[in-house]
Amino acid sequence: MSDVKTKHGDKIEIGAVSEHLLEKYNLPGPRYTSYPTAPVWKDDFGPDDLEESYTRAEALATPLSLYMHLPFCESLCLFCACNVSIQKDKSVAIPYLAALKHEIEHVSGLVSKQRPVIQFHWGGGTPTFLTPAQMEDLFGHARERFAFAPDAEIGIEVDPRVTSRAHLESLRRLGFNRLSMGIQDFQPKVQETIRRVQPYEMTRDLILASRELGFESLSVDLIYGLPYQNAATFQATIEQVLTLTPDRVAMFSYAHVPWLRKQQGAFATHLPEGREKFQIFRAGLEGFLGAGYVYIGMDHFALPEDELATAQQDRTLHRNFMGYTTKAGADLYGMGVSAISSVGDAYAQNRREVPAYQAAVAERGIATMRGYRLSADARLRRSVIGRLLCHTVIVKREVEQEFSISFDEYFASELARLAEPSTDGLVILDRDEVRVTPLGRIFIRNVAMVFDRYIEEQKMDQKPLFSKTL
Ligand code: SF4
């Protein structure tokens, strides 16, 4: 099997992935959109703790990234692991939007207008479950209360099955400049099985309309490892996606966790696994790199001129709950049901059920249900894991300067545990660096897991909380 060359001349050594390596390293593991990961967070972290973090953040005056969660969908896609509320009745949005506006009011009252919003994102669920008028009202409410930077990234997740041209026109008028869109797979058999029928033509037409309306950036999501997929069918999907020339592609491994998401059990016997799933991943990797996309981190691709690709090259790439971003250094304020915040040294998550969220906001203005304040050790490990996942290298001197430690002494046991991945060709350990090899990029989550001090506690081999790394 051959390797794949990336845009910048380095190789992804996909041909070197043996059965032995797959068996050894294809294990459940976090995607590290946070460290520590959410299962470690504490239930005794509440609204007062989050507000204390807001106060500290004010003193530092960092820029803001705002995320708002809109949880409603008209029907449930069976693969979905997001926090969703399936509703046919659109009137449910009315009390929810009232609560969300109340939360925006409360949070914005604690934020100085000197702090620019450099990133604003609506995720879901399906944000376009709302009518254009509801979207305009909600956006206007937020915009009046926060100071948006003139060049802010303003993005939204859209579902082509329920997004009209009127929605797009309204979003564009409001100033949204980025769209992200779920595709997952274009094969009819796969789409029927996962109950998300979204033909190519429907997706193409929405993308053409968004280009015509002047959205600057378009990102699409794909999933490999879905029922009835194989390398050939996924390759056909990739070829169709390439005709749409998205600026960015997220290609996620399907997370099969039916003990957490019961509906996934419906197709459990038709899932590609092991080498077969790996070949699907490989088809995706070869398809996008062959078409000139740059491989970003562990699961994204971007056109070479996209700022995500430039950020990877300049080592300014950053990872947060929304995936890879160029907005390092911003505090993330999450609002809405189940939304996550990352403010200074703290993480916080809102209540996960809509009625509980609405009740908590009515009473207190915010709805924090759990969170985590990072210790000095957790801050250090977060930085090290972030460096690996964003830059594929840890330069020891940089970590030593930032955290006033001796890297080799502090991480002596981690370095000893990396000896085996090093022998297997996944990392190069030398005096100055821990560097992930082109082969190691395929198993980069496994390398990151070595630095996670909580991983053993999460009983990874029973009913894992995470998907497999491939
Ligand atoms: S539309 Fe998106 S959020 Fe809603 S069920 Fe489907 S995948 Fe999940």
Side-chain angles (χ1 to χ4, degrees), residues 281-321:
F281 166 77
R282 180 188 173 131
L285 190 75
E286 288 179 339
F288 288 113
L289 297 185
Y293 281 76
V294 179
Y295 188 32
I296 308 289
M298 61 190 190
D299 46 22
H300 280 57
F301 300 89
L303 287 173
E305 56 276 17
D306 189 280
E307 48 183 15
L308 218 47
T310 331
Q312 173 161 277
Q313 226 176 351
D314 302 345
R315 299 214 297 136
T316 52
L317 193 64
H318 178 67
R319 187 159 173 79
N320 68 15
F321 295 102

Side-chain angles (χ1 to χ4, degrees), residues 75-96:
S75 61
L76 181 64
C77 310
L78 295 186
F79 67 90
C80 180
C82 298
N83 190 51
V84 296
S85 170
I86 305 303
Q87 301 288 346
K88 295 279 180 214
D89 176 6
K90 296 259 177 166
S91 69
V92 292
I94 297 168
Y96 182 76

Side-chain angles (χ1 to χ4, degrees), residues 116-117 143 147-154 177:
V117 173
R143 179 135 215 168
F148 280 51
D151 59 349
E153 274 183 13
I154 307 182
N177 44 35

Side-chain angles (χ1 to χ4, degrees), residues 40-232:
V40 174
W41 299 356
K42 311 275 186 212
D43 292 339
D44 61 4
F45 186 105
D48 292 344
D49 299 295
L50 180 56
E51 287 189 354
E52 194 189 313
S53 299
Y54 287 164
T55 306
R56 291 187 202 190
E58 281 300 293
L60 298 171
T62 39
L64 295 174
S65 174
L66 302 183
Y67 173 83
M68 291 175 194
H69 193 75
L70 298 158
F72 303 114
C73 297
E74 290 183 16
S75 61
L76 181 64
C77 310
L78 295 186
F79 67 90
C80 180
C82 298
N83 190 51
V84 296
S85 170
I86 305 303
Q87 301 288 346
K88 295 279 180 214
D89 176 6
K90 296 259 177 166
S91 69
V92 292
I94 297 168
Y96 182 76
L97 289 174
L100 182 54
K101 285 164 70 177
H102 184 166
E103 190 184 15
I104 293 169
E105 181 96 46
H106 183 89
V107 174
S108 62
L110 302 169
V111 173
S112 145
K113 285 253 188 184
Q114 303 305 314
R115 298 177 67 192
V117 173
I118 57 172
Q119 194 176 33
F120 180 93
H121 190 81
W122 281 352
T126 306
T128 50
F129 180 92
L130 304 181
T131 63
Q134 286 171 325
M135 294 193 315
E136 290 185 21
D137 179 52
L138 177 64
F139 187 78
H141 187 82
R143 179 135 215 168
E144 275 168 24
R145 285 162 179 78
F146 290 98
F148 280 51
D151 59 349
E153 274 183 13
I154 307 182
I156 179 171
E157 292 162 21
V158 296
D159 177 346
R161 298 171 305 160
V162 296
T163 305
S164 63
R165 185 168 175 108
H167 277 114
L168 291 186
E169 285 171 355
S170 168
L171 289 166
R172 194 67 200 103
R173 216 172 26 248
L174 292 171
F176 280 78
N177 44 35
R178 291 174 178 261
L179 294 183
S180 73
M181 190 177 293
I183 290 178
Q184 325 314 348
D185 189 292
F186 275 130
Q187 296 298 303
K189 176 80 177 166
V190 176
Q191 291 194 351
E192 282 157 25
T193 307
I194 61 173
R195 297 224 194 116
R196 185 190 173 99
V197 175
Q198 178 187 321
Y200 168 79
E201 293 73 17
M202 176 192 275
T203 308
R204 178 201 59 200
D205 291 350
L206 198 74
I207 289 177
L208 290 176
S210 69
R211 293 243 160 81
E212 194 191 306
L213 290 167
F215 286 91
E216 286 161 31
S217 173
L218 177 84
S219 155
V220 302
D221 292 351
L222 300 175
I223 298 183
Y224 67 92
L226 288 172
Y228 295 107
Q229 264 180 350
N230 61 44

